[in-house]
Amino acid sequence: MAPMTTPENRHPAHDDLRERWVRTLLTVRRPEADLPSGTPSPYAYADDLLARWAEPHRRYHTTDHLIAVLDRVGLLSSHCEGPEAVAAVTLAAWFHDAVLLPDRSTNEDRSARLAERALPEAGVSPQLTAEVARLVRLTATHDPAPGDTGGEVLCDADLAVLAGTPQEYAAYAAAVREEYAFVPDDAFRAGRADVLRRLLDLPALFRTPYGRDHWEHVARRNMATELELLLS
């Protein structure tokens, strides 16, 4: 059960995000007349998700990260194959870090299973629910297959943080370290270096034309610098 959103953890964009969620959900869910009696309000799902994103143990995977990914999905949406594909990627962005237990390696699968439970109840078709869950699970590797345009958009939107300015990247790296504060320094450095090497070994970090043109070079430079600092 996610905690309730309180005045202390309520994000300034909370109300706007609720409306963004509802607009997306209403584009793909079954007509009101076809929904079972007692179907929860679309806002109930927004409130649950926003409470999850506001959990106090989060430092990087926060509501600000959700907003950034949603905004980048919008930026890259022309790469998707039609409005329903854009809606699937947008819903996947909402769910992709909805479950975050920093001491577990199953967060992507748990987040996908949350989508698989919530979306059918909210009136989303089995086919679209399956696509959203697939996209969420893809963020475990950030390695979509060629031609998987939805996966390319979601993964690029999630990884775009790597292409920030040096100051932005340093703040991102510090927030990740704080989120894993329970991990001893040596173990964290080794694990983080493995993550960076895995990403740097990908033939391309970004698969959309915009991502390749605007983010690839800067992201690789930032990660190479972080890796060098971790190993020094």
Side-chain angles (χ1 to χ4, degrees), residues 40-126:
S41 162
Y43 290 100
Y45 299 95
D47 291 338
D48 179 77
L49 286 164
L50 288 169
R52 292 174 182 276
W53 284 96
E55 290 165 333
H57 65 272
R58 295 173 182 255
R59 294 296 181 270
Y60 167 63
H61 296 95
T62 63
T63 307
D64 285 329
H65 174 61
L66 169 63
I67 293 169
V69 174
L70 288 171
D71 288 348
R72 292 171 192 141
V73 167
L75 175 67
L76 302 171
S77 61
S78 63
H79 190 67
C80 292
E81 297 176 354
E84 185 167 298
V86 174
V89 177
T90 303
L91 291 171
W94 275 93
F95 280 98
H96 82 285
D97 283 319
V99 178
L100 183 73
L101 303 169
D103 61 339
R104 306 287 179 87
S105 61
T106 56
N107 290 307
E108 292 83 6
D109 186 61
R110 287 169 181 255
S111 296
R113 284 190 276 130
L114 177 65
E116 289 168 337
R117 293 194 303 272
L119 290 176
E121 182 185 77
V124 176
S125 71

Side-chain angles (χ1 to χ4, degrees), residues 146-230:
D148 178 6
T149 55
E152 290 171 344
V153 168
L154 181 62
C155 290
D156 278 18
D158 196 26
L159 290 180
V161 65
L162 301 174
T165 65
Q167 295 79 12
E168 290 167 341
Y169 189 89
Y172 148 73
V176 171
R177 180 65 184 106
E178 191 174 353
E179 207 165 74
Y180 290 87
F182 61 92
V183 179
D185 283 343
D186 287 349
F188 178 83
R189 283 197 297 270
R192 180 68 179 168
D194 286 345
V195 169
L196 293 171
R197 288 192 192 97
R198 177 178 61 79
L199 290 171
L200 286 167
D201 284 345
L202 292 173
L205 284 167
F206 298 99
R207 312 302 174 84
T208 65
Y210 186 96
R212 287 195 301 268
D213 292 345
H214 291 82
W215 297 331
E216 184 81 21
H217 175 73
V218 177
R220 286 187 177 275
R221 183 184 64 204
N222 283 336
M223 288 192 297
T225 299
E226 183 186 1
L227 184 58
E228 183 178 349
L229 291 171
L230 285 170

